[in-house]
């Protein structure tokens, strides 16, 4: 049966809890939906819209505007200041979020593997091909995982969010381990799972232990984040997601400013990757290294 909450709600609550964990750190300026702090930049002369915004005018615009390059460079300076205030980057994680189904009928296709109610999520071939491609490019430097909640309804989801226990009720599975399968199934989030259609038992995977195993980066924060975004963009452009990614990055208007605002360009790139592929970028800092 379908669980009674939206995938976006799970993602939002999950990201919020990650941001509060001591070992996790979201890149500066990257808010819940992976944006860089502002969803749109526009120059508007509409009197109607300015009235709705509380700034009526008849002759002179209330705000005359500023060059986009100037605004981008100021955002770049702000991001750079924030990076100097965070610990050393230890590693990168790419999350592919999944909303689980909760199967309660003995007629369910994978029931014989559990003989009890279980959770499952589908693995889409195009998406899986991208994750395997990224894994082949980054290997041990980047952890690429599916994250699926073991939660049945929105009431439970909200309670776990308030209690900051959502991560502990999430099933994590390295994406490359699901190669060749159409579904993954599990009962408890931290226990083993069974990948189907040709059933394969996958032993328990501890997400927090995995991210703490990252060695400290040998590159300073700013360079590490910029380099990673460039590498991900290059890898995604070699997949079936290339055309929509190019369309979005071109639309952002930053393609000609990469040399002047490399940090902003990196976040804009990863925001576009998030929109096109569903992959959420997370950095892990080295406090415990």
């Amino acid at each position: 049966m379908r669980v009674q909450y939206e995938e976006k709600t799970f993602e939002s609550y999950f990201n919020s809890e990650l941001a509060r964990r001591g070992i996790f750190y979201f890149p500066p300026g990257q808010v819940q939906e992976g944006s860089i702090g502002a969803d749109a930049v526009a120059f508007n002369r509409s009197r109607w819209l300015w009235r709705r915004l509380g700034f009526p005018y008849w002759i002179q615009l209330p705000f005359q505007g500023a060059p986009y390059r100037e605004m981008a460079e100021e955002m770049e300076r702000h991001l750079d200041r924030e990076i100097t205030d965070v610990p050393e980057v230890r590693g990168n994680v790419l999350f592919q979020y999944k909303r689980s189904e909760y199967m309660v009928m003995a007629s369910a296709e994978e029931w014989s593997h559990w003989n009890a109610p279980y959770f499952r999520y589908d693995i889409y071939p195009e998406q899986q091909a991208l994750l395997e491609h990224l894994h082949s490019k980054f290997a041990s430097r980047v952890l690429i995982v599916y994250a699926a909640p073991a939660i049945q309804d929105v009431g439970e989801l909200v309670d776990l969010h308030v209690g900051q226990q959502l991560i502990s009720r999430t099933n994590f599975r390295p994406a490359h381990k699901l190669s060749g399968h159409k579904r993954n199934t599990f009962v408890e989030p931290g226990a083993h799972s069974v990948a189907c259609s040709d059933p394969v038992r996958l032993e328990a995977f501890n997400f927090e232990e995995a991210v703490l195993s990252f060695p400290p980066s040998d590159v300073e924060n700013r360079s590490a984040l910029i380099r990673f975004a460039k590498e991900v963009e290059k890898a995604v452009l070699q997949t079936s997601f290339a055309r929509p990614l190019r369309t979005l990055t071109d639309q952002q208007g930053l393609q000609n400013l990469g040399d002047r605002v490399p940090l902003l360009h990196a976040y804009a790139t990863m925001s576009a990757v998030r929109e096109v592929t569903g992959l959420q970028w997370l950095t892990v800092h080295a406090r415990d290294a």
Side-chain angles (χ1 to χ4, degrees):
M1 68 176 187
R2 284 285 180 182
V3 292
Q4 302 301 308
Y5 56 85
E6 295 298 322
E7 185 175 286
K8 288 291 185 182
T9 306
F10 164 65
E11 291 182 25
S12 177
Y13 287 172
F14 183 93
N15 288 344
S16 174
E17 185 173 329
L18 281 176
R20 289 176 171 82
R21 294 289 187 108
I23 63 170
F24 297 114
Y25 171 68
F26 282 98
Q30 188 179 35
V31 296
Q32 299 296 357
E33 288 299 326
S35 73
I36 53 176
D39 290 329
V41 177
F43 184 73
N44 172 62
R45 294 181 180 274
S46 168
R47 293 187 178 91
W48 174 84
L49 181 56
W50 280 115
R51 284 200 303 274
R52 294 294 300 271
L53 294 173
F55 297 94
Y57 81 98
W58 290 104
I59 299 175
Q60 187 173 359
L61 281 169
F63 300 95
Q64 296 303 307
Y68 188 33
R69 173 172 295 191
E70 184 179 326
M71 290 188 288
E73 290 176 348
E74 182 55 40
M75 292 176 73
E76 176 81 5
R77 285 190 287 272
H78 175 71
L79 290 172
D80 213 355
R81 287 194 296 270
E82 287 198 9
I83 283 185
T84 62
D85 294 333
V86 302
E88 178 185 359
V89 171
R90 185 170 188 163
N92 288 290
V93 182
L94 293 174
F95 284 107
Q96 186 73 68
Y97 296 107
K98 290 290 185 179
R99 184 174 67 162
S100 310
E101 294 178 293
Y102 189 55
M103 313 309 295
V104 298
M105 303 292 291
S107 57
E109 189 173 346
E110 299 84 11
W111 185 272
S112 62
H113 304 307
W114 301 103
N115 291 312
Y118 64 95
F119 295 93
R120 77 180 184 191
Y121 59 85
D122 292 330
I123 301 164
Y124 303 117
E126 189 176 57
Q127 193 176 69
Q128 179 65 21
L130 169 67
L131 302 184
E132 291 180 29
H133 175 70
L134 291 171
H135 176 74
S136 72
K137 293 291 184 182
F138 299 121
S140 61
R141 292 194 295 128
V142 180
L143 179 62
I144 305 171
V145 295
Y146 285 106
I151 299 168
Q152 298 180 40
D153 58 52
V154 69
E156 184 182 8
L157 179 68
V158 170
D159 288 343
L160 290 167
H161 168 59
V162 171
Q164 294 295 291
Q165 296 296 315
L166 184 57
I167 291 175
S168 66
R169 292 298 299 170
T170 299
N171 177 272
F172 299 98
R173 184 58 55 188
H176 69 281
K177 296 290 187 181
L178 297 177
S179 178
H181 295 287
K182 69 175 185 179
R183 284 183 182 140
N184 191 34
T185 67
F186 59 95
V187 174
E188 294 294 331
H192 76 280
S193 61
V194 176
C196 303
S197 51
D198 293 328
V200 174
R201 178 185 170 110
L202 302 173
E203 297 304 325
F205 173 77
N206 189 303
F207 171 67
E208 294 196 31
E209 284 183 7
V211 296
L212 285 174
S213 70
F214 281 120
S217 172
D218 59 355
V219 183
E220 56 94 14
N221 282 355
R222 186 177 191 276
S223 297
L225 297 175
I226 292 170
R227 184 179 71 178
F228 179 68
K230 287 181 178 178
E231 289 176 337
V232 171
E233 179 183 30
K234 182 179 179 181
V236 175
L237 287 175
Q238 296 171 354
T239 73
S240 60
F241 294 92
R243 189 189 63 78
L245 180 60
R246 285 196 186 96
T247 299
L248 274 184
T249 53
D250 288 348
Q251 188 181 47
Q252 289 168 343
L254 290 172
Q255 64 271 27
N256 297 322
L257 296 179
D259 292 336
R260 298 176 66 95
V261 288
L263 271 174
L264 182 60
H265 188 268
Y267 297 136
T269 296
M270 293 305 293
S271 174
V273 168
R274 172 71 176 85
E275 288 186 51
V276 169
T277 68
L279 280 171
Q280 172 71 58
W281 177 28
L282 166 75
T283 60
V284 183
H285 72 59
R287 186 194 65 177
D288 298 308

